[in-house]
Amino acid sequence: MHALNSRSLSLLSLTAALTAAAIGCDVDDDAALSRSWWCTQCGSSLGNSPNINGASLANIHLTEPFGDGMYLGPMSSGLNVNLRLGVDANDAFVGLQGQQVVLSGADVVGAKISVFLPNNEYVWLEITDIDNQVPSWSDSGAMVTAYKATYFDQGVVKALCPAVVGDDRWFTLIPDERYSSGANEVESAPGTVTLACVGEAAAKMKLLDFHPHGNRQATPEERQATLRMVTGDYCGNGHSFTVSGTKVAWRDAAGLVDPPFQEYAMEALWDADGAICLTTPRHARLEDVAAVCGEIPACDGLDFVKGAVWRTMLPK
């Protein structure tokens, strides 16, 4: 674990403490799909990024500092031993003692992870729930594991994912990659874990089975195409032309993701650089897109072209 020589006072207090101790949208034709994880036709939901007192936990490092000087301390589980947080091959939290897995599966519920903030104070982040049966949106995808977590802020319990709706407070894990929300770019980051809340583009990418450990075995370029498609990033520069809850039908070139409603109007074809072609934007006006991106050619029919990862269409 990262050496913490300059933080000894905080760690002493933490050791004493240890010793003492998913904005979504509704789908009318299927009530079961009203929970946000299953909103398979919605565009990006913004503003539900994981944070503690405003400090981002969108991407954490398990053993080194991350963000603006934040880092993870010991994990408390009620077993009277100090553990550290880990992530297993199934993208699920585990509690480690050395290299040995001591906690896994539903046993991690109730465990608390100490998170040191930039001011060197720490906060206990408690895992409060787990759901390891979240269905993939892709025919190729395995079940996805999701969690809820909370922390105390001046005596008030707050959710790690700050959505108002309780079912939007779930998040899932994506190890070893970092995603820039400002640019929709994919960066290899071994030892890190992206925490993706309900509605975030990275969470949707995982549910579509385009994550690094997905059965589809998608490439980083295909993941970047997915992030741009979900967020309506036609230009390929991180500029989003959608809003939360905007309906759009996603279909991948491999035929593993089928939209749950009839496709009506062509929107775009997508690759890692954004929209290959664009006919009818899902939310913005075409001239507004052109003012930012320059001219993007109109799509010639509905067929996929070489290099296209996704086709998006609009409902009636």
Side-chain angles (χ1 to χ4, degrees):
M1 181 174 286
H2 172 68
L4 305 175
N5 296 336
S6 65
R7 306 174 173 108
S8 57
L9 290 176
S10 295
L11 277 177
L12 283 173
S13 62
L14 175 58
T15 302
L18 282 167
T19 304
I23 301 174
C25 65
D26 294 332
V27 182
D28 297 334
D29 58 355
D30 189 344
L33 299 184
S34 63
R35 288 184 59 180
S36 297
W37 282 124
W38 288 268
C39 186
T40 57
Q41 85 268 39
C42 295
S44 177
S45 293
L46 308 174
N48 195 26
S49 183
N51 72 87
I52 292 179
N53 294 336
S56 175
L57 267 74
N59 183 267
I60 63 174
H61 201 292
L62 295 173
T63 59
E64 298 178 6
F66 58 89
D68 295 325
M70 301 173 68
Y71 62 99
L72 302 182
M75 180 180 186
S76 173
S77 65
L79 296 178
N80 295 322
V81 292
N82 287 357
L83 305 178
R84 66 180 179 87
L85 183 67
V87 175
D88 67 14
N90 296 314
D91 295 358
F93 280 140
V94 293
L96 299 171
Q97 187 175 29
Q99 298 301 314
Q100 180 181 0
V101 175
V102 178
L103 288 180
S104 62
D107 290 338
V108 302
V109 175
K112 298 179 180 180
I113 304 101
S114 51
V115 181
F116 282 80
L117 304 178
N119 60 6
N120 210 32
E121 295 180 356
Y122 68 88
V123 172
W124 287 112
L125 180 67
E126 181 177 356
I127 300 171
T128 58
D129 206 351
I130 182 175
D131 183 351
N132 60 7
Q133 296 294 311
V134 178
S136 174
W137 295 348
S138 170
D139 291 344
S140 65
M143 291 290 184
V144 172
T145 297
Y147 299 90
K148 286 183 178 180
T150 60
Y151 64 96
F152 274 99
D153 178 22
Q154 298 181 348
V156 178
V157 178
K158 294 187 175 180
L160 179 65
C161 297
V164 174
V165 179
D167 272 345
D168 290 354
R169 294 172 184 163
W170 292 94
F171 63 92
T172 190
L173 313 181
I174 308 175
D176 300 325
E177 276 191 344
R178 183 182 295 117
Y179 309 106
S180 168
S181 60
N184 289 319
E185 294 177 346
V186 176
E187 177 187 352
S188 177
T192 73
V193 183
T194 290
L195 309 184
C197 297
V198 162
E200 290 197 291
K204 294 174 184 286
M205 180 193 70
K206 180 165 184 176
L207 288 160
L208 291 163
D209 197 38
F210 274 75
H211 60 107
H213 297 163
N215 292 337
R216 174 193 296 266
Q217 300 183 327
T219 65
E221 292 76 20
E222 289 173 327
R223 284 194 282 284
Q224 187 161 299
T226 304
L227 294 173
R228 298 200 190 285
M229 178 275 293
V230 169
T231 59
D233 179 8
Y234 306 116
C235 308
N237 63 3
H239 188 110
S240 175
F241 285 93
T242 190
V243 296
S244 299
T246 302
K247 293 185 176 182
V248 59
W250 308 331
R251 186 182 295 275
D252 68 312
L256 296 173
V257 177
D258 293 326
F261 57 86
Q262 184 177 3
E263 299 160 297
Y264 178 69
M266 183 68 175
E267 185 196 29
L269 295 175
W270 301 84
D271 65 11
D273 295 322
I276 299 171
C277 63
L278 174 64
T279 299
T280 307
R282 68 190 70 168
H283 178 74
R285 298 183 305 168
L286 197 57
E287 54 266 36
D288 293 335
V289 175
V292 178
C293 304
E295 293 296 329
I296 300 174
C299 299
D300 183 13
L302 304 180
D303 293 339
F304 281 86
V305 299
K306 184 178 180 180
V309 180
W310 289 98
R311 184 185 76 192
T312 50
M313 295 187 67
L314 309 180
K316 285 187 178 182

